[in-house]
Each structure stands twice: as C-alpha cells, then as structure tokens.
Amino acid sequence: MIRCLLFISLLIHATLAAKAPNAAAEAPNAGQKAPAGSPTKKWLTLNGQEPLVIARGGFSGLFPESSTYAIDMAKSQSLPGYAFFCNLQLTKDSVGICLSNILLDNTTTISMFYPKDQKTYNVNGKDIRGWFALDFTADQLLNNVSLTQNIFSRPSYFDGTLPIATVEDALGIKPDKFWLNVPYDTFYSQHKISMASFVEKVIRFPSMNYISSPEIGFLKTVSAKVNKGRTKLIFQFLDPEETEPTTKQKYSALVKNLEMIKSVAAGILVPKEYIWPVNKNNYLEAATTLVTEAHKQGLEVHASGFANDIVLPYNYSFDPTAEYLQFVDQPNFSVDGVLTDFPPTASETIACFAQNNNSTKPKKGLPLIITRNGASGTYPGCTDLAYKQAVDDGADIIDCSVQLSSDGVAFCLDTIDLNSGTNALSQFMTKSETIPELQAEAGVFSFQLSWHEIQSLKPQIQSPYGTKEKVYRNPANKDVGKLVTLSDFLEFSKTKAVTGILINIENAAYLASKAGLDIVKTVTSALSNATFDKQSTQQVLIKSDDTSVLSKFKDVKTYRRVLNIKEKISDATKASVDEIKKFADAVTVTKDSIVKISDYFISGKTNVVKEMKAANISVYVHWLKNEFVSLMFDYFSDPIIEIASYVLDYQVDGIVTDFPATANKYMRCPCNDMDPKANIPYPILPVEPGSLLGLVVPEALSPAQAPSPALQASNVADPPLPEVVKKSDTSPPPSSSSSDSTDSGSKSTPAPGSPEKSSAFANAANLCLSLVAIVVLALLAN
C-alpha cells in the first residue's frame, strides 16, 4: 500500500513539474546540430564531438552498481548519447553478469547464502580468497543473491533489495550506448570458460558500441569478430606497475608504445592520473602529453576513476565539476570520454560549464553570494588572501565578523576565541580559560590580547570535517595570509567595488559589561569614517544574533539589518515573524531550518522561507560547503545541485558559503534558466524532497525524530545592551568550568548542525520520471 501511494505521489510530481527542457529528449546528440539559439561548442576531442559520459555500472555513486535502479537513473540523468559501462563476469554456465569486482562478496550478499563456498584463486599472479562467479550457476546467483553498495560513504539503504543484473538485463533497459569491459579473460580461460565466446554472442546487439579489456591477447582474439564500424575496441590501462598478461610488460612501458596499441585498438581507457599526475601531497602536477600523443596516433582517450565522494586533489576545492573541466576543457586537449560513478555531474560539466568560463551574465533575481570569512575554503578565513580570493571568485557580499583586541582595535575573525582560526593556544597557553557566557570550551579570547600580540599569530585554515572524517582543506595554504583590521577590510571593499559588505557583531553585551569594550560604537565609527553611511552604491548588511545590536543601526536607512537565527527551527509563527520585522530586514537560518532531514535524505521542506518572505524578510541560508560529507544523499555529492536546490526550489535570497567560486559558477552557467524557450540541453534542476527517500523500505530507516521547535515571538527580542563599564572597573573575566552563565544578550549556543555525512542525488523532471519507473519496477517485483 505504501509503495502504491508513493507511486501516485511521484506521478503527480512528474505531471506537475515545471516543464523544463528534457535533456534526454531535446539535447543534441554528438554530431547533431544544436537547437536554435544554442552556442555551438568546438571540442578538442579526436572526432571533434563532445566528450562521452560513461556511467560505470549506471549511477553507481548512489545505487548498487549495475542494479536496475542504477542503470535506469543513469539513463534518465545523463547527457544523450551516454554509455553504460558493464564490467563482465561469467557464471559457471557462462551467463554474463555486470559486476566490477571479481570477488562477489565485495558487492553482493553471497556470503549470507553460501557461507562455506569461499575459495582461493590465483588471479593474474596474485592469490585472492573469496566468492567467485565462476563457482556458481546463474540460477544460484540470480534467484538468491542481491547487490550491496561497497563504498561506505554511499547509501546502504538499498543493500539486499536489488538483484544482480545480467548483460541481457542491462541491454534490455536500452542505454544509448553499451560499453562491455572484459577485465579477466586470462583467469577465466584458465578455468575453461571463454570470455571471447560470450562476447561473440552479444556483439550482435546494435548498441554494443565499445568492448574494452586490459589484455592485449583478448583484443586480438575478438578483433576479427567485431564490426569495427559499429563497435570500437579499447585497450584499458591498469596501475602503471601492474603487468599486462599477454606481453608480460608493465602498463607504464606499454603507454610509451601507442603505435602498437593502435594496431589492436581504436582507443585507450586510462586512470585519470595518467593524464594529470597527483603528487604525494594530493596536488596536481603538470599534465602529461598522453592525450595529444594518442590523438596523433588516431587513438581516442577515455579517462577513468571519476567520483564525487572521494577526496579530490586540493586544486579542485572539493568541486567535482572542476575536476571534469581539467580533462575536457583544456586549451590544447580534451579527453574523448570520462568513466564516472556520477554521470549527472559529468553531464552538467560538459553541457553547462565547459567552454563557458563564467562568461554568461547572471540573471536578475538570483540569490546573493555571501562569503563566510572570505574564501575560507581556500585560505585561512578572514585573512587578506581569503578576501582577495573571494572577490576574484565572484562573491557579491564579503563578510567581516568583528572582534576587539584588549586595546580596542577591531579586526575580522570568525569567533571571539582566537583558538578558532589562529595558533593562539600555542603562543598564549597561559591566557587560556573558560568563560561560560561565551562558550563551553576553554579559549584564548580576543579581548585578552593586544592588537600587537594578535598580529604575531599565524592564521589557521579551518577544516569542518578534518577531525572526524579526515577531510582537510588546502593544507598548502593552512597558515598563509594575515588578519586584517576592520578599517582595512572596509578600505579593501571600497577599492574592489564589491556589491556589498556584511558586518557580523556578536557578544556585544559581554564585551560592554565585562571587558569595557563598546563593539557597536567601534563598528559604527569605522563605517562612518569609511563613508559607508553616506552612500548607497554598495550594500551594507549588519548581522547579529542580538536584536538590541540591530536596533543601534536603525537610523541609517541604507543599512540592511540581518538577524542571525542560530537555532534549528521547524517553523516560524506569525507572531515571531512580526517581531523580527521590528528589528531586521533579513534573517540567516541554518540549512536544516529550511529542509527536513531523515537518515541523510531530504524528506521535505519547512515553511520558514515562505513565512519570512511573505513578510518581506529576506532569507539567507547559512552555510554551504563543497565537501561531499556535508551533502545529503539527494544532492549526488555535488555542491552544484545543492546550490540549484536552494536557488530554484527553496528560493532563498542569499547563499552563505566558504566556496564562492562554486556558487558563482552555477549563477553564471546557462543551465539555471528554467524557461522552456531557453533551449537548454541539460537543465540543472533542484531535488524533489522525499522522492529518493520514498524508494527506501521503511524498515531500513531510523525511527522518526521529533521535529525541532518552531520559532516563537518570545525567542526573538533581547534585553537592552548594558552600559559599557570603565576599564578600571572591569574585573578579570571569571575562569570556570561551570555551566552557569549570565544573560549576555546572546540567546543560546548554536544547535548542532545537521548530520555530517553524505553522497548525493538530483536533476529533476527527468528525475521524477525516473523515480516513477523505479517504483513501477518495485511494484512489479512484488
């Protein structure tokens, strides 16, 4: 019954979805003319056509490899002309199945059904123990065993529910092109099972466009049996230090003999490091000349190893589209295809970002790109380098969270605790203490040190997922740059003529009553001295979690006041919205105050944005990051799809991000225009909340959690700011480990963020139809 209701729901979504162009139906295939009005791209591939998107096992970044879900979703979410990539294994009775790993226990539930059937075989010179397809008949595998996801960062909720796909099953879904990879011919031949005989049977299918193998002997065997005009033979390179079974040469030696490869193949499939080597510190080295040399020999070059949910070289700033561009959009070469676990991301890169160079002007009405401490995903936050990079990256609003030194110098840093963002603890350990009114942990606080002392500190890049997930940001830049004063920040903003600035003020009550520092007056004077109060060319946003602070800026009509709502809320009552309206023109809210999350899936939307905007209060979402561990499964581990969802579906007015370049890339690409007349070959559409979650059997999900509280009017207003005590009257701040605290004007510490895990999913309209098809398959199976 639940599945039937889900089917009806998805059918309604598919029917009512905005009629954006259907990528699979309307985009031009390679070699065809683009729609009228679409710019024609010139590619540096061997044949001049756009690079091929090759889906490894379908959409294996989300669903178990080569499952019906994965194959169908790849078909729906890829550029037209894409290829489905099947890694061939053979059963005891020579039935072909699609699985990349020769060990079935890595990708299936076979150990549950045949626990005593482990064996050890020598595979290409290495002894391997596990469960092998050649020890089982097709009936044993297809009637009992199901698929699992073998990468832990990916959803496990579909494990044990989807059967192994045969080659015929995959062909039956009719992918645009079919790529059959034969990785273990020598091993199967040793056990009297012929890969060549199986291939000879399936090459009659018209969509069998590519056959590849890492074994030269196999390619020679099938060469005379294939129609070269319809089916291309591709030689697959493995790790450079592995040995090719036929020639007994290492692949590192064979790559230097492309003339010989040309005699047996029409192209090569190489790990991406063969083209862009990566050093031991995970940074790119200079590109090799492999693509150019192969093209001179008339060989196509396809690169493998693309996935969104791995730690990419730091050069890419955790943006997977940046990596694809490195391979398809160089001034002197482009690969002919990319083998990926995430075909939607490869598709959007080729269709939307390649050869664009941010040349498309953003449409009017798109959200503001607001930095969080400058480009803090690239450099230490709040440094001169982070701000310069943010401007270069296309940020609209650059921000300064103002802190005060003991001698009253205002400077930019994310928090009042110098341990967060600098090496203060190592320099001033004796100053470390606990101040419960400010935070639960001990810290070295800005008002304890003079500006001269603070200038001696080294900034430190902050990695939100470094401690737990070991995902670190740009270590080469971990301590570069210098902190800037508020006055320097304002001067820089005027010189660069940015669209606007955001000044964040916190802890004003504590600083006034306990440290004798007037942060509001200091900021007001700095803005006035820089004449920001006497102009309207550049926007000035004043942000605070304290309404009494915002009230101090109400007389400057050109300033926009922004209330920072740190707590996670599920709703906002009309009374609370009316109360906010007295103090602020906009709010910043957390991501999980906008979307509802269940087991790392998006289950729905709250009404927070709708209620705020109904009262003419702008909504800025805080804060977006590129790291795949920050993204819900629905976003496909692709930060671009998360941005598209906040822009097009959640309809926020501003995006607060550590990576303004990624947001700017989306805002300037041609694929965010949902006008059907725009002739967009591949629209980047938002996710449909709840659609992916609906495919998971309820028993696999965690118990439902109680919703977060709604924002009430009583939560909004703060008491008036206290008088600023004289310096001589201030006593040292209490050092304590107690949890007792006084009212400092700060409402509460931030609620914990949404669960930090990930993987991804999106590109809708097509997506909804694809999910409908998947549900139909599930209904038929039951």
Side-chain angles (χ1 to χ4, degrees):
M1 181 64 181
I2 292 174
R3 289 296 178 93
C4 290
L5 291 173
L6 173 62
F7 173 80
I8 294 170
S9 172
L10 289 173
L11 186 60
I12 291 171
H13 282 308
T15 304
L16 298 181
K19 294 183 179 179
N22 184 304
E26 298 189 10
N29 285 314
Q32 293 180 344
K33 291 183 179 180
S38 297
T40 302
K41 294 183 178 181
K42 295 181 180 179
W43 297 97
L44 295 178
T45 53
L46 181 64
N47 58 14
Q49 297 176 354
E50 73 178 14
L52 177 67
V53 175
I54 312 162
R56 190 188 71 85
F59 195 166
S60 55
L62 183 62
F63 299 109
E65 176 195 346
S66 297
S67 64
T68 50
Y69 283 19
I71 300 170
D72 188 76
M73 193 65 72
K75 180 178 180 178
S76 169
Q77 297 297 294
S78 300
L79 277 172
Y82 85 102
F84 167 73
F85 187 91
C86 167
N87 270 296
L88 179 65
Q89 309 289 344
L90 292 180
T91 63
K92 183 187 293 186
D93 45 351
S94 295
V95 173
I97 59 176
C98 297
L99 284 176
S100 61
N101 201 304
I102 196 169
L103 292 177
L104 297 183
D105 45 308
N106 281 348
T107 53
T108 74
T109 58
I110 193 165
S111 62
M112 296 171 57
F113 293 94
Y114 305 103
K116 297 181 181 180
D117 288 347
Q118 268 186 306
K119 289 189 178 179
T120 300
Y121 286 110
N122 187 280
V123 181
N124 294 340
K126 298 177 183 178
D127 287 337
I128 300 177
R129 184 167 178 77
W131 285 260
F132 295 78
L134 55 73
D135 290 323
F136 302 91
T137 66
D139 283 345
Q140 287 177 299
L141 295 180
L142 302 180
N143 294 332
N144 299 306
V145 179
S146 53
L147 296 166
T148 60
Q149 182 63 267
N150 67 337
I151 296 178
F152 294 127
S153 63
R154 297 175 180 176
S156 61
Y157 298 96
F158 307 105
D159 288 2
T161 63
L162 302 167
I164 296 172
T166 66
V167 173
E168 286 77 8
D169 291 335
L171 283 165
I173 296 179
K174 298 181 179 179
D176 292 356
K177 293 183 174 68
F178 200 98
W179 186 312
L180 187 67
N181 188 50
V182 184
Y184 298 107
D185 176 60
T186 298
F187 170 71
Y188 277 96
S189 296
Q190 291 168 350
H191 297 278
K192 312 303 181 185
I193 298 176
S194 175
M195 287 280 195
S197 296
F198 177 84
V199 169
E200 190 173 358
K201 294 176 184 177
V202 298
I203 56 175
R204 69 180 187 275
F205 290 96
S207 60
M208 190 64 65
N209 303 94
Y210 297 87
I211 295 174
S212 61
S213 177
E215 301 185 19
I216 288 175
F218 173 79
L219 294 178
K220 288 181 176 179
T221 300
V222 300
S223 178
K225 301 175 182 179
V226 301
N227 179 345
K228 302 290 178 51
R230 189 179 69 185
T231 304
K232 295 178 181 179
L233 296 181
I234 306 293
F235 179 63
Q236 181 187 20
F237 282 83
L238 302 181
D239 184 276
E241 296 307 306
E242 289 195 36
T243 300
E244 191 278 320
T246 305
T247 63
K248 306 303 181 186
Q249 295 184 54
K250 290 183 178 181
Y251 289 99
S252 57
L254 289 174
V255 78
K256 300 174 183 177
N257 193 357
L258 295 177
E259 186 175 357
M260 184 275 290
I261 300 298
K262 176 61 179 174
S263 69
V264 297
I268 57 176
L269 174 64
V270 299
K272 57 189 180 182
E273 292 78 14
Y274 274 64
I275 300 169
W276 283 100
V278 179
N279 65 27
K280 64 180 182 180
N281 295 319
N282 200 33
Y283 287 92
L284 293 178
E285 296 183 341
T288 68
T289 58
L290 176 60
V291 177
T292 303
E293 291 172 359
H295 282 175
K296 287 179 181 178
Q297 293 290 339
L299 288 167
E300 293 182 356
V301 181
H302 303 275
S304 66
F306 291 91
N308 295 3
D309 55 351
I310 58 177
V311 177
L312 302 173
Y314 296 118
N315 310 70
Y316 302 131
S317 295
F318 302 100
D319 176 4
T321 65
E323 181 178 39
Y324 289 109
L325 288 173
Q326 197 77 5
F327 288 81
V328 304
D329 199 20
Q330 287 298 308
N332 56 342
F333 74 83
S334 169
V335 297
D336 300 277
V338 289
L339 177 60
T340 175
D341 293 3
F342 292 84
T345 304
S347 296
E348 74 187 34
T349 303
I350 292 167
C352 306
F353 301 128
Q355 304 180 31
N356 186 46
N357 297 321
N358 288 340
S359 60
T360 303
K361 290 184 178 181
K363 300 194 309 294
K364 291 183 178 180
L366 289 175
L368 293 169
I369 301 171
I370 305 170
T371 65
R372 177 183 170 274
N373 309 320
S376 54
T378 306
Y379 290 104
C382 299
T383 59
D384 54 340
L385 297 178
Y387 289 126
K388 182 180 184 303
Q389 188 66 51
V391 173
D392 293 342
D393 288 345
D396 298 311
I397 308 290
I398 59 175
D399 71 305
C400 172
S401 289
V402 180
Q403 312 301 336
L404 293 180
S405 65
S406 61
D407 48 349
V409 176
F411 65 99
C412 303
L413 192 66
D414 186 41
T415 74
I416 197 169
D417 181 5
L418 296 171
N419 288 338
S420 177
T422 78
N423 65 339
L425 187 60
S426 63
Q427 297 282 86
F428 297 97
M429 185 177 292
T430 57
K431 298 272 190 177
S432 179
E433 58 182 311
T434 300
I435 303 179
E437 295 95 327
L438 299 178
Q439 62 184 38
E441 304 82 16
V444 178
F445 298 97
S446 66
F447 54 83
Q448 297 173 316
L449 301 181
S450 68
W451 175 238
H452 178 74
E453 291 172 315
I454 291 170
Q455 284 180 296
S456 71
L457 302 176
K458 276 196 170 184
Q460 302 288 312
I461 198 166
Q462 300 296 291
S463 298
Y465 305 101
T467 302
K468 186 177 180 182
E469 288 86 359
K470 306 302 179 186
V471 178
Y472 295 97
R473 293 179 173 177
N474 206 1
N477 292 341
K478 66 180 181 180
D479 57 3
V480 298
K482 62 180 182 178
L483 298 178
V484 299
T485 63
L486 175 59
S487 59
D488 287 341
F489 169 84
L490 297 176
E491 183 60 31
F492 172 82
S493 302
K494 293 185 72 173
T495 301
K496 292 295 183 179
V498 294
T499 301
I501 59 173
L502 182 148
I503 305 298
N504 183 36
I505 302 173
E506 294 190 2
N507 305 305
Y510 182 88
L511 290 170
S513 62
K514 299 296 178 65
L517 295 170
D518 192 339
I519 190 170
V520 172
K521 182 179 179 181
T522 302
V523 169
T524 302
S525 298
L527 288 169
S528 181
N529 291 339
T531 69
F532 274 96
D533 59 342
K534 302 175 183 67
Q535 57 86 51
S536 57
T537 304
Q538 292 177 286
Q539 296 184 41
V540 178
L541 280 57
I542 305 295
K543 185 178 85 167
S544 182
D545 60 347
D546 190 327
T547 56
S548 294
V549 170
L550 297 179
S551 296
K552 297 290 186 180
F553 293 88
K554 65 181 180 180
D555 293 334
V556 183
K557 302 304 179 184
T558 55
Y559 292 174
R560 286 180 58 82
R561 295 174 293 162
V562 183
L563 179 63
N564 185 16
I565 302 175
K566 295 182 177 181
E567 298 81 5
K568 176 183 173 182
I569 57 175
S570 61
D571 204 348
T573 64
K574 185 178 185 306
S576 68
V577 174
D578 291 342
E579 190 71 10
I580 290 171
K581 189 68 178 173
K582 298 175 184 177
F583 303 100
D585 309 291
V587 294
T588 57
V589 295
T590 60
K591 293 194 293 185
D592 50 8
S593 292
I594 296 175
V595 296
K596 301 174 183 178
I597 297 168
S598 176
D599 287 305
Y600 311 111
F601 293 98
I602 296 173
S603 59
K605 295 185 293 185
T606 71
N607 290 321
V608 170
V609 174
K610 180 180 178 181
E611 289 156 347
M612 294 292 179
K613 296 186 80 166
N616 200 29
I617 297 173
S618 300
V619 179
Y620 308 140
V621 59
H622 183 281
W623 89 85
L624 273 60
K625 302 176 281 290
N626 281 7
E627 289 94 338
F628 67 89
V629 292
S630 74
L631 302 170
M632 298 301 104
F633 291 136
D634 305 71
Y635 297 130
F636 298 168
S637 297
D638 183 348
I640 292 290
I641 294 176
E642 182 183 40
I643 293 168
S645 297
Y646 278 99
V647 172
L648 298 175
D649 188 23
Y650 314 149
Q651 296 187 341
V652 298
D653 300 289
I655 290 173
V656 181
T657 176
D658 296 352
F659 296 91
T662 306
N664 186 48
K665 177 190 291 186
Y666 170 77
M667 303 297 184
R668 288 181 174 273
C669 86
C671 298
N672 60 30
D673 190 342
M674 295 299 102
D675 184 350
K677 298 178 182 178
N679 286 323
I680 295 172
Y682 190 88
I684 303 175
L685 299 178
V687 304
E688 180 66 40
S691 294
L692 184 58
L693 180 63
L695 296 176
V696 181
V697 294
E699 300 78 36
L701 298 172
S702 304
Q705 300 293 312
S708 301
L711 183 67
Q712 302 295 330
S714 58
N715 303 133
V716 175
D718 293 285
L721 292 175
E723 294 294 325
V724 179
V725 297
K726 294 180 179 180
K727 280 279 187 177
S728 58
D729 296 338
T730 60
S731 57
S735 177
S736 169
S737 60
S738 166
S739 61
D740 296 337
S741 64
T742 61
D743 184 358
S744 64
S746 220
K747 286 180 280 297
S748 70
T749 56
S754 55
E756 294 174 355
K757 193 173 175 177
S758 86
S759 240
F761 178 128
N763 213 353
N766 252 356
L767 170 59
C768 287
L769 292 173
S770 179
L771 290 171
V772 170
I774 287 173
V775 175
V776 171
L777 289 173
L779 288 168
L780 292 174
N782 292 332

